[in-house]
Amino acid sequence: MCFSKRNHFRANNSKKVRGHPTYIYKKVGDKYYFIGITHSEITHRTKNIKLNVNPNPNDVRESYMRPFSSEESIDLFGNKKKGWKLSKLDRKTVRSIKKNHRK
């Protein structure tokens, strides 16, 4: 199965996530592999990982990444977020989360 790197941000419009931004790092077939982004320190009793820099350049609030990655159908994602980027300081965090992928 062929996959391609993505490394960009989109809104996830699934019923479970409801429009939260996500960092998409891989596409396999008709699915994106992603890490959720939020402003909440804790989500569903799970402590999120604080980011050094908010990926949204227009938002000064603290942002967090979910401590695991997930996969969803491409159809559930919105358009690519322009101007959003992951800081060099947070890339190490992303690499460690990718290793803990769960379905």
Side-chain angles (χ1 to χ4, degrees):
M1 187 176 292
C2 182
F3 81 91
S4 61
K5 287 187 173 185
R6 294 287 112 186
N7 298 323
H8 64 272
F9 292 87
R10 290 180 187 258
N12 183 337
N13 299 318
S14 69
K15 289 181 181 180
K16 186 169 45 172
V17 182
R18 297 190 181 143
H20 269 84
T22 56
Y23 177 73
I24 296 169
Y25 64 89
K26 183 166 69 169
K27 176 185 173 189
V28 178
D30 65 343
K31 292 187 184 250
Y32 279 143
Y33 287 66
F34 66 92
I35 303 168
I37 308 289
T38 183
H39 288 112
S40 179
E41 191 173 347
I42 297 173
T43 306
H44 304 294
R45 298 183 188 161
T46 302
K47 189 171 192 248
N48 296 320
I49 301 167
K50 185 176 177 184
L51 295 174
N52 293 302
V53 179
N54 191 329
N56 181 354
N58 301 320
D59 191 354
V60 296
R61 297 178 289 174
E62 291 181 343
S63 61
Y64 298 84
M65 270 193 168
R66 303 286 284 141
F68 53 84
S69 65
S70 302
E71 61 185 78
E72 293 272 355
S73 173
I74 290 173
D75 300 341
L76 298 174
F77 291 86
N79 292 332
K80 191 174 179 178
K81 301 237 179 228
K82 294 184 179 170
W84 286 48
K85 61 182 177 181
L86 195 63
S87 76
K88 289 183 180 181
L89 298 170
D90 295 320
R91 289 182 186 161
K92 184 177 179 183
T93 303
V94 169
R95 280 193 295 272
S96 67
I97 293 171
K98 284 185 199 179
K99 291 178 185 177
N100 296 324
H101 173 72
R102 71 180 190 191
K103 294 182 181 184

